[in-house]
């Protein structure tokens, strides 16, 4: 999974403009079609946000390489 969304059903996380605190809120409270993950807290939540935010540069680099 590269975070770029699929089939126009899932959001593209690679271009997210959410702040880390906003992203944590969405993870824990859910959103539109995403369920809540209240059990993800602390260091695990921080690591997940860091990972999701890191997807943008990875996908952008892969797209540049393909062109």
């Amino acid at each position: 999974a590269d975070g770029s969304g699929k089939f126009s059903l899932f959001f593209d996380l690679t271009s997210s403009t959410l702040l880390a605190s906003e992203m944590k809120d969405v993870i824990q409270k859910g959103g539109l079609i995403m369920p809540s993950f209240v059990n993800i807290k602390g260091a695990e939540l921080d690591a997940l946000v860091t990972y999701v935010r890191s997807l943008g540069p990875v996908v952008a680099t892969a797209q540049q390489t393909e062109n």
Side-chain angles (χ1 to χ4, degrees), residues 8-12 18 25-27 29-36:
S8 299
L9 294 174
F10 304 105
F11 295 106
D12 181 353
L18 293 177
D25 244 13
V26 172
I27 292 168
K29 295 177 182 175
L32 299 177
I33 60 171
M34 178 179 156
S36 61

Side-chain angles (χ1 to χ4, degrees), residues 12-31 34-35 37 40 45-56:
D12 181 353
L13 299 174
T14 63
S15 59
S16 175
T17 58
L18 293 177
L19 299 173
S21 59
E22 295 170 323
M23 197 172 289
K24 289 177 183 181
D25 244 13
V26 172
I27 292 168
Q28 291 193 309
K29 295 177 182 175
M34 178 179 156
F37 292 90
I40 300 177
L45 181 58
D46 292 338
L48 179 58
V49 168
T50 299
Y51 170 72
V52 170
R53 294 183 87 187
S54 76
L55 293 173

